[in-house]
Amino acid sequence: MDRAFVKDLPHNRDDLAITRAVIAMAHGLSMKVVAEGVEEKHQFDSLREEGCDEFQGFFCRPAMESHELEALLRRHGLVIPTQPWSALTGGGSMAVA
């Protein structure tokens, strides 16, 4: 779910209605919902109450420098690709949201 619908939760009735509809539609299609841009506890609480499955944003963890991300990934045993994305996907590209 885009940050644009999250930023004014739970105070904006239109955003709340859109949030409910997106969550219901996704769950009806057996999909999980990830909310972007969750920065405040009241946003998190509202999304949780509506049944949102996952979230990302400053409320979870503030932005970090690339070396901090690399260290975090290494601590959890994850490998950081050293090849360009195109080499990993056979020449394809990746859309960035």
Side-chain angles (χ1 to χ4, degrees), residues 50-90:
E50 297 304 328
C52 186
D53 302 295
E54 298 179 22
F55 74 99
Q56 62 185 35
F58 288 145
F59 184 70
C60 173
R61 178 160 187 118
M64 62 179 77
E65 298 291 329
S66 61
H67 68 276
E68 294 172 308
L69 175 60
E70 290 173 3
L72 177 67
L73 293 174
R74 284 192 192 99
R75 274 197 309 273
H76 292 283
L78 300 172
V79 178
I80 301 166
T82 57
Q83 300 174 333
W85 179 256
S86 59
L88 297 172
T89 62

Side-chain angles (χ1 to χ4, degrees), residues 16-74:
L16 188 55
I18 292 169
T19 298
R20 285 179 178 149
V22 168
I23 292 170
M25 181 174 56
H27 287 169
L29 295 168
S30 300
M31 298 173 71
K32 290 191 176 213
V33 178
V34 179
E36 298 178 346
V38 180
E39 298 179 357
E40 305 289 336
K41 185 175 184 330
H42 62 269
Q43 295 167 327
F44 172 78
D45 290 342
S46 179
L47 289 161
R48 184 177 56 188
E49 185 177 311
E50 297 304 328
C52 186
D53 302 295
E54 298 179 22
F55 74 99
Q56 62 185 35
F58 288 145
F59 184 70
C60 173
R61 178 160 187 118
M64 62 179 77
E65 298 291 329
S66 61
H67 68 276
E68 294 172 308
L69 175 60
E70 290 173 3
L72 177 67
L73 293 174
R74 284 192 192 99

Side-chain angles (χ1 to χ4, degrees), residues 1-17 19 36-40 42-44 46-47:
M1 180 165 326
D2 190 80
R3 177 183 189 282
F5 303 116
V6 171
K7 68 181 180 141
D8 292 327
L9 287 178
H11 310 295
N12 184 301
R13 292 186 322 168
D14 292 342
D15 287 346
L16 188 55
T19 298
E36 298 178 346
V38 180
E39 298 179 357
E40 305 289 336
H42 62 269
Q43 295 167 327
F44 172 78
S46 179
L47 289 161

